[in-house]
């Protein structure tokens, strides 16, 4: 069985980061280790605020112990991080706990709709950029891509301009730079990926639903990281992650009790497992 470790916060309520990554990647049949970077009462988009307990000081001791125990990982996946120090610790994880052929996957989860999430300093995107440069695969949304490249945020960039934006993020070790939430006309949404070594682009789109939800970036990133860890190719991984994220949104739209608690991914897990089973039955290794 493959083994991944994911490093991000645990928000006790609000379905994001670890409460999304752990169940999704486990359901994909991958052993999932975690490093919780902070404990929050809930994610930071709740209007009444949130509590935040930083766990940075715990992490060097965890890594030292892991060295003693001889742990190695097939993949390291980083998500929401709270500080420059935590960015440095992710770089240590990438450098010290993976072999050359392992996957280093970074979701620079820090901003959306043109704005940084609450609590981040204006210089934080440059720290996150250092993490991304050490990763093989990065999955920024448009706001994050703009912040890391110093590009003004606009929602009306043309396809060619978006291609240039993600190409410019493919520096350092990056093999695939994947823009999430990429539009295709008015009614399709998906991903646009720059493949650095082929110097080529891949894209995949599905239906755009007429609502926006919190936490879909974490669903997409967790599925994509899991799929690549299982050995799916970049196109298959992008398709699975987009289709599953859409399925989660559809389940949420059908829920009369839906709230600001992220999407109902729990109800879509059978879809995810079913897609992986179909692939296994078609003779492709998973
Ligand atoms: O979904 C990204 C995310 C992760 N963790 C925390 C957040 C957010 C987005 O708001 O607040 C704590």
């Amino acid at each position: 069985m493959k083994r991944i470790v994911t490093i991000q916060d645990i928000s006790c309520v609000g379905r994001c980061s670890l409460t999304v990554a752990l169940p999704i990647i486990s359901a994909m049949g991958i052993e999932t280790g975690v490093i919780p970077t902070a404990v929050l009462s809930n994610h930071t988009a709740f209007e009444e605020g949130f509590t935040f307990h930083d766990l940075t000081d715990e992490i060097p001791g965890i890594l030292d112990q892991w060295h003693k125990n001889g742990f190695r990982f097939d993949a390291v996946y980083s998500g929401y991080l709270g500080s420059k120090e935590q960015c440095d610790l992710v770089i240590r994880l990438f450098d010290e706990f993976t072999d050359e052929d392992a996957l280093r996957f970074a979701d620079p989860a820090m901003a959306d709709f043109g704005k940084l999430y609450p609590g981040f300093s204006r210089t934080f995107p440059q720290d996150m950029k250092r993490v991304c440069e050490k990763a093989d695969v990065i999955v920024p949304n448009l706001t994050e891509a703009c912040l890391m490249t110093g590009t003004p945020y606009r929602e009306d960039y043309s396809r060619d301009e978006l291609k240039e934006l993600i190409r410019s993020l493919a520096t350092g070790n990056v093999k695939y730079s994947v823009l999430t939430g990429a539009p295709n006309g008015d009614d399709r949404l998906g991903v646009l990926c720059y493949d650095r070594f082929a110097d080529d682009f891949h894209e995949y789109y599905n239906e755009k639903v007429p609502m926006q939800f919190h936490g879909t970036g974490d669903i997409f990133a967790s599925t994509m990281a899991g799929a690549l860890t299982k050995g799916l190719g970049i196109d298959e991984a992008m398709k699975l992650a987009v289709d599953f994220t859409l399925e989660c949104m559809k389940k949420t739209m059908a829920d009369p009790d839906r709230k600001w608690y992220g999407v109902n991914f729990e109800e879509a897990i059978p879809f995810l497992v079913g897609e992986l089973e179909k692939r296994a039955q078609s003779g492709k290794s998973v």
Side-chain angles (χ1 to χ4, degrees), residues 9 11 16-17 40 43-44 80 117 214 218:
D9 70 280
S11 291
C16 65
S17 26
L40 290 84
H43 65 63
T44 60
Y80 181 100
Y117 294 143
H214 191 269
D218 297 353

Side-chain angles (χ1 to χ4, degrees), residues 14-17 20 43 45-46 111-113 117 141 144 180-181 189 207-220 242-267:
R15 286 180 179 136
C16 65
S17 26
V20 164
H43 65 63
F46 282 85
D112 211 351
F113 305 112
Y117 294 143
N141 62 28
E144 292 154 352
T180 63
L189 202 64
E207 217 180 297
K208 177 177 178 178
V209 298
M211 275 177 111
Q212 273 163 346
F213 297 98
H214 191 269
T216 47
D218 297 353
I219 305 261
F220 173 86
V242 167
D243 290 352
F244 178 59
T245 307
L246 175 64
E247 194 64 20
C248 292
M249 291 195 269
K250 286 185 172 169
K251 294 286 184 201
T252 316
M253 286 166 74
D255 179 356
D257 295 328
R258 65 174 177 268
K259 292 217 176 73
W260 191 227
Y261 291 170
V263 285
N264 294 10
F265 73 86
E266 300 85 349
E267 293 174 323

Side-chain angles (χ1 to χ4, degrees), residues 87-153:
C87 292
D88 292 337
L89 287 164
V90 171
I91 292 171
R92 261 193 74 187
L93 259 180
F94 284 160
D95 284 346
E96 298 175 19
F97 290 90
T98 61
D99 298 327
E100 182 58 31
D101 62 349
L103 170 71
R104 288 150 292 262
F105 185 99
D107 177 6
M110 60 180 165
D112 211 351
F113 305 112
K115 280 206 262 175
L116 277 168
Y117 294 143
F120 287 119
S121 72
R122 289 197 8 216
T123 55
F124 186 70
Q126 289 316 307
D127 293 315
M128 195 55 112
K129 187 159 189 235
R130 287 190 299 114
V131 173
C132 287
E133 284 175 345
K134 283 281 190 172
D136 303 294
V137 180
I138 60 173
V139 290
N141 62 28
L142 176 60
T143 308
E144 292 154 352
C146 288
L147 285 168
M148 288 192 290
T149 52
T151 309
Y153 176 77

Side-chain angles (χ1 to χ4, degrees), residues 4 6 20-32 77 222-223 225-226:
I4 194 169
T6 178
V20 164
L22 181 54
I24 289 179
I25 302 173
S26 299
M28 296 176 83
I30 300 167
E31 179 189 343
T32 312
Y77 155 32
S222 302
T223 315

Side-chain angles (χ1 to χ4, degrees), residues 127-182:
D127 293 315
M128 195 55 112
K129 187 159 189 235
R130 287 190 299 114
V131 173
C132 287
E133 284 175 345
K134 283 281 190 172
D136 303 294
V137 180
I138 60 173
V139 290
N141 62 28
L142 176 60
T143 308
E144 292 154 352
C146 288
L147 285 168
M148 288 192 290
T149 52
T151 309
Y153 176 77
R154 272 183 24 214
E155 281 171 18
D156 59 353
Y157 283 120
S158 66
R159 171 91 56 95
D160 284 345
E161 287 169 325
L162 293 178
K163 284 182 168 174
E164 212 29 65
L165 182 65
I166 53 165
R167 193 208 294 264
S168 70
L169 269 175
T171 56
N173 297 345
V174 174
K175 299 190 179 100
Y176 296 107
S177 162
V178 182
L179 181 73
T180 63

Side-chain angles (χ1 to χ4, degrees), residues 2 7 11 19 72 85-86 137 140 143 158 176 180 200 216 231 234 240 268-269:
K2 298 280 188 184
I7 174 163
S11 291
T19 59
R72 308 292 296 168
E85 289 69 34
Q86 291 184 354
V137 180
T143 308
S158 66
Y176 296 107
T180 63
D200 202 358
T216 47
I234 192 78
L240 183 67
I269 292 268

